[in-house]
Amino acid sequence: METTESVVGELNVALGTDYQFVRQLPGGFQSSAYELTDGAARVVLKWTDDPGWAPRVRRAAELVRRARAAGYPTPEWLTVGTTAAGSPYQLQEFVPGVGLHDASVITESLAREIIAICETQRGLVPEEGISWSAYSRGVVFEDWDGVWERVRGYGGESAEILREYEQLCRPYRDEKLPDDDLVHGDLNVGNLIVNNGRISGIIDIEAAGAGSRAYDLVSLATSAARDGAPPGIDELFLQAALRAAGHPTTAISAATAYATITEFVHNHARNSQTHVRRGARRVLELLDG
C-alpha cells in the first residue's frame, strides 16, 4: 500500500531530487496536499491512489499552463507523474498566504477581485474535452451518474430543495450551455489563498475542464452564502454568473453544484448538511428574485 512517504521516495528517484516531507497542509476534504522541501525550496505534493485519475491530472496540467498564461493565479505545476503502482501525482509551487476558510472576512473589494479573476477564464478551452456544461445538463436532465435520484432519495429538506431546483431548470431543458470557458469545478472560498489582503492563489484545480465560468461564479455565491460571508457578497458572485452566461446556464449550474455537494456531504461530512442547504436556498432565492 502506497503512502505519502513512499510517493516522495519514488518521485525523488524519478526526478533526482531530495525532497523531504514537512507536513500535511490544512483543508481539503477530497484530496490532501503536503508540503515538501529540499532545504532550498518549498513545494506542494498532491497525489491520489486512484490510477484512473491520471489522464485527468495530465489534462489539468495543460489547463493550468493555459490559465496561468492568461493571468489566472493558480500555482505553477512543476512536474506531473505516476508511481510504479500507477498513482498520479503533481508537484506545485508553494504559494504564500493562508486559505480563506473564514468567509466572513471577504470584503466587497476582495469579491470583485475574485470576479475579475474568473473573467480571465473566458474562452480558454475552445476545443472539445471534459465538459462541465455537458455534465451539468446530464445531471439535471438525464440523471447522469445517478446523483439526482440518490439525492432525491435522501428525503426531507434536501429532496425538497432538489425539487425546487428541478422546477427552476425545467424551462431550460433545450438550452445550449456555453462550453469554451475554463471551469475550475470546485471553486469555493476554501480554495482561495490570500496574502496581504489579495488573492495569491486558487488551488485544487485538478477537476478543471471546459464549460461556462458561470459554474464557478455560482459555486462561489453558494459558498459565500453557506460559509458566512457578509451580506451582499453572495449576490455579487451570483450577478457576475448571470452576466457571464445568463439565467439558464446559471440555474442549471447551481442545481448541479447543489446535487453533487449534497451527495458529498451526505457521504463524508454530514455535519455540513445544514450549511449546504442554507447556501442552496439563498441561491434559489436570488435566482427567483
Side-chain angles (χ1 to χ4, degrees):
M1 179 179 178
E2 290 186 300
T3 65
T4 298
E5 287 76 9
S6 70
V7 172
V8 173
E10 281 201 45
L11 71 86
N12 276 333
V13 171
L15 302 176
T17 51
D18 189 29
Y19 288 117
Q20 303 295 316
F21 177 87
V22 177
R23 58 176 176 141
Q24 181 174 344
L25 295 169
F29 281 110
Q30 300 187 65
S31 61
S32 297
Y34 305 91
E35 181 184 347
L36 311 180
T37 185
D38 61 2
R42 302 158 76 188
V43 296
V44 173
L45 167 68
K46 296 197 71 176
W47 74 282
T48 174
D49 60 2
D50 179 6
W53 195 243
R56 193 71 178 265
V57 171
R58 287 194 293 272
R59 172 60 173 155
E62 164 58 21
L63 296 181
V64 165
R65 184 201 63 76
R66 197 176 298 179
R68 286 177 53 81
Y72 190 82
T74 197
E76 180 183 2
W77 285 21
L78 306 173
T79 190
V80 173
T82 56
T83 66
S87 298
Y89 64 81
Q90 75 265 23
L91 283 181
Q92 304 178 12
E93 68 171 325
F94 188 96
V95 174
V98 295
L100 188 63
H101 299 294
D102 181 5
S104 68
V105 303
I106 300 178
T107 61
E108 180 178 337
S109 63
L110 186 61
R112 293 191 184 280
E113 180 186 351
I114 297 164
I115 290 167
I117 288 170
C118 289
E119 285 302 302
T120 68
Q121 299 170 225
R122 182 200 299 258
L124 286 184
V125 195
E127 74 278 4
E128 293 185 2
I130 297 165
S131 170
W132 279 94
S133 287
Y135 178 73
S136 296
R137 284 188 52 80
V139 166
V140 174
F141 298 120
E142 301 173 27
D143 193 27
W144 279 16
D145 296 338
V147 60
W148 200 265
E149 282 303 312
R150 286 194 294 274
V151 174
R152 193 194 307 277
Y154 298 159
E157 188 178 1
S158 294
E160 175 57 33
I161 293 172
L162 195 76
R163 284 191 289 272
E164 292 182 39
Y165 272 114
E166 195 168 49
Q167 182 176 0
L168 177 70
C169 295
R170 188 174 294 124
Y172 305 137
R173 187 177 188 92
D174 296 326
E175 291 282 342
K176 179 175 175 57
L177 275 57
D179 208 27
D180 62 352
D181 293 345
L182 173 73
V183 178
H184 180 289
D186 185 26
L187 193 52
N188 59 76
V189 298
N191 284 335
L192 304 173
I193 305 297
V194 178
N195 190 40
N196 294 325
R198 301 292 303 274
I199 299 296
S200 60
I202 296 178
I203 60 173
D204 289 355
I205 199 172
E206 290 86 348
S212 170
R213 62 195 185 282
Y215 190 99
D216 287 342
L217 287 160
V218 78
S219 296
L220 284 165
T222 306
S223 177
R226 74 169 181 252
D227 297 329
I233 297 298
D234 50 10
E235 191 166 4
L236 283 174
F237 290 131
L238 194 280
Q239 290 300 320
L242 292 170
R243 289 194 301 272
H247 199 277
T249 297
T250 302
I252 294 168
S253 297
T256 303
Y258 168 69
T260 54
I261 191 62
T262 296
E263 180 173 49
F264 179 80
V265 300
H266 179 83
N267 293 332
H268 301 284
R270 292 201 176 194
N271 60 333
S272 299
Q273 289 177 328
T274 300
H275 301 296
V276 168
R277 290 193 290 263
R278 180 174 65 228
R281 285 209 176 278
R282 172 59 175 164
V283 169
L284 276 169
E285 174 188 323
L286 291 171
L287 286 170
D288 283 338

